[in-house]
Amino acid sequence: MRVSEISKRYAKALLAVAKQKGIHSQVFGELQTLVQSFAADASVKNYFENPMVSSDQKVAAVKAALSGKGVSEEVVNTLVLLAEKNRMDILGQMAIAFRDLLDVEEGVTRGVVRS
């Protein structure tokens, strides 16, 4: 999957905040869980991609769904921002960009093995 520049910008900002607080691994795990949840439930994905649903309704849905669930404030705030800007569709790309940036920060190199 090709990662857009806007996804990289959101990921870079989230990583900067998460690293500052020392919770970058936790944030990455939360992002992965949220991406899997969105992929597993098509109705949720359709709701956030529906142009007839206002951004205020999307923000309220994000806050209601994640409040009290143990999701970090940084991730919730990022999702609220994505909902406000009608960019929830880039969540998967943003998680990939976050992983890539985190790998660079931690000196991890990923490879593909083919046989």
Side-chain angles (χ1 to χ4, degrees), residues 74-87:
E74 293 75 18
V75 172
V76 172
N77 290 341
T78 301
L79 290 178
V80 165
L81 184 61
L82 289 175
E84 285 175 351
K85 303 293 183 183
N86 289 319
R87 293 188 171 144

Side-chain angles (χ1 to χ4, degrees), residues 41-89:
D41 193 352
S43 64
V44 173
K45 182 180 176 186
N46 292 337
Y47 177 81
F48 284 106
E49 290 179 357
N50 188 343
M52 300 298 289
V53 178
S54 72
S55 61
D56 291 336
Q57 291 172 313
K58 292 175 184 179
V59 168
V62 167
K63 288 181 179 179
L66 299 179
S67 65
K69 301 287 196 266
V71 179
S72 66
E73 179 184 351
E74 293 75 18
V75 172
V76 172
N77 290 341
T78 301
L79 290 178
V80 165
L81 184 61
L82 289 175
E84 285 175 351
K85 303 293 183 183
N86 289 319
R87 293 188 171 144
M88 290 295 284
D89 58 325

